[in-house]
Amino acid sequence: MTTPRTANLTTLTITQPDDWHIHLRDGLALERTVPDIAKTFNRVICMPNLVPPVKTVEEAESYRARIMAHVPKAHGAEVAFDPRMVLYLTDHTDPAEILKLKNSSHVQAVKLYPAGATTNSHSGVSDLSKVYDVIAQMEEHGVPFLLHGEVTHNHVDIFDREKRFLDEVLEPLLKRFPRLRLVLEHITTGDAAAFVQAQGANVGATITPQHLLFNRNHMLVGGIRPHFYCLPILKRQSHQTALIEVATSGNPKFFLGTDSAPHAQDKKENACGCAGCYTAPFAIELYAEAFEQAGKLDKLEGFASFFGADFYGLPRNTRTITLVKNEQIVPESFAYFGDQKLVPLRAGETLTWSIQQDATHGFSS
Ligand SMILES: NC(=O)N[C@@H](CC(=O)O)C(=O)O
Ligand SMILES: [Zn+2]
Ligand SMILES: [Zn+2]
């Protein structure tokens, strides 16, 4: 019998991870979201789907300042936390904004929300041909284009929307702009994994912990579980298996993006519940569980801490974190937005890994 090399690990020290896709929201929400992610992660790609959205470099810089005001202090010093900002592409984005982005030190990428695809996407792009001149600038200047990859036509089944996006939008887009640097965000299907694998090094993908750990049965069998509902929606088990395969393969095209997306409890547990799973406080522990189940814990560091930084052309982190095989129980809820409650993914359940808390808040240098 072959035993995976990492089968009996009880501690695992890895380079500090980065989160290449997160929703921190704004205002009072930042009191919750920023400390929750900054305790473990360094660089985080802050999604711009606020109301109103973050559309210009100037707006991105002021959003970043609001985020930075909530970075916790460890022993009087601020923890290493570097939010990387993203512009929300609309039908009216000025191509000149791309050069401004290129010259800014904090704005990293541009995000496509097809209009109507997901939370706060109504100002998104109605037809990609309207923004070809902006995309041409991005290709020219090597600015990454981050995609929520789903078509939005009413007649397209929700479980087919990612696959249809690959065929109808992404393939033609890459034909027109072959050098475009592009991240297919939060992929959920074997089709998307195969598509990304077949492209050049300019195309990568992020994968969430929920799409590695769960499939649509977890959300729908034995009762409907709103806290598993996110977009793109969880798919069937064969897709989950394909995602685990690529995430744990050591292929640098696939890297960590939690898509942690808080919505207050009453907005999730609702007759028309919002899409998004909250995982920020224990995201690396969730990934560790998925990688361990696959017998591939040795591949976690590349996925979580190296490949995203390499893709974005940023230096790899130098500090480390240590995961220990100590169980932790996920709280039933967290305080959120003043007096509201936020129910995380796996509320009340036991996780197998924890972050070692030492004098430097889990970090070593
Ligand atoms: N993933 C989600 O289900 N929700 C995200 C939006 C997104 O990333 O599509 C949100 O902002 O709530
Ligand atoms: Zn999305
Ligand atoms: Zn998202």
Side-chain angles (χ1 to χ4, degrees), residues 21-23 47 49 111 113 118 148 185-186 231 258-261:
H21 183 134
I22 191 167
H23 301 269
M47 287 295 153
N49 60 334
K111 178 74 190 268
Y113 289 102
T118 188
H148 180 109
E185 299 291 335
H186 47 41
L231 290 171
T258 62
D259 194 21
S260 179

Side-chain angles (χ1 to χ4, degrees), residues 58 102 118 135 178 193 211 239 272 318 348 355:
E58 212 179 335
K102 197 64 199 167
T118 188
I135 299 174
H211 291 99
H239 291 297
C272 183
T318 50
I355 301 277

Side-chain angles (χ1 to χ4, degrees), residues 66-320:
R66 298 196 296 278
I67 292 168
M68 291 309 285
H70 293 274
V71 178
K73 302 229 185 307
H75 308 289
E78 271 181 7
V79 302
F81 186 62
D82 182 10
R84 309 305 306 168
M85 311 311 291
V86 176
L87 304 187
Y88 185 118
L89 187 62
T90 75
D91 286 352
H92 311 289
T93 300
D94 182 352
E97 204 63 32
I98 301 304
L99 205 57
K100 284 195 204 155
L101 180 160
K102 197 64 199 167
N103 293 325
S104 79
S105 43
H106 300 131
V107 189
Q108 194 78 51
V110 174
K111 178 74 190 268
L112 171 72
Y113 289 102
T118 188
T119 307
N120 301 335
S121 62
H122 37 272
S123 314
V125 174
S126 62
D127 184 339
L128 265 186
S129 66
K130 293 191 175 163
V131 290
Y132 280 164
D133 48 354
V134 184
I135 299 174
Q137 287 294 301
M138 290 164 55
E139 184 182 44
E140 165 97 27
H141 296 287
V143 172
F145 193 26
L146 317 184
L147 312 181
H148 180 109
E150 290 192 287
V151 297
T152 54
H153 323 294
N154 276 335
H155 61 273
V156 179
D157 189 279
I158 188 167
F159 291 100
D160 299 335
R161 288 178 173 208
E162 185 174 272
K163 164 85 173 99
R164 292 282 291 268
F165 184 88
L166 303 174
D167 301 340
E168 292 165 24
V169 182
L170 195 47
E171 195 162 359
L173 180 70
L174 281 166
K175 280 224 167 75
R176 184 175 279 268
F177 301 102
R179 293 176 297 120
L180 187 61
R181 291 176 62 207
L182 186 150
V183 183
L184 193 53
E185 299 291 335
H186 47 41
I187 60 169
T188 64
T189 58
D191 308 285
F195 183 95
V196 170
Q197 274 176 308
Q199 308 303 312
N202 57 316
V203 178
T206 54
I207 307 181
T208 77
Q210 62 267 25
H211 291 99
L212 293 176
L213 287 167
F214 303 112
N215 59 63
R216 63 195 192 183
N217 273 18
H218 295 96
M219 178 174 60
L220 295 171
V221 172
I224 185 161
R225 294 182 178 75
H227 298 290
F228 285 87
Y229 175 60
C230 67
L231 290 171
I233 199 161
L234 291 171
K235 305 296 192 299
R236 62 170 63 243
Q237 189 184 14
S238 55
H239 291 297
Q240 180 195 357
T241 305
L243 296 173
I244 294 168
E245 178 82 32
V246 292
T248 64
S249 69
N251 183 335
K253 287 169 153 297
F254 300 96
F255 41 87
L256 186 155
T258 62
D259 194 21
S260 179
H263 294 275
Q265 181 171 19
D266 63 325
K267 300 283 192 309
K268 292 286 296 173
E269 298 171 12
N270 187 297
C272 183
C274 290
C277 304
Y278 192 63
T279 54
F282 42 82
I284 196 68
E285 294 94 314
L286 293 175
Y287 283 110
E289 201 160 315
F291 276 64
E292 183 177 39
Q293 281 168 14
K296 296 281 179 60
L297 264 181
D298 57 323
K299 295 288 197 286
L300 180 64
E301 185 177 41
F303 175 83
S305 315
F306 295 159
F307 303 153
D310 297 349
F311 183 90
Y312 279 97
L314 294 168
R316 292 179 178 182
N317 292 324
T318 50
R319 303 207 286 184
T320 58

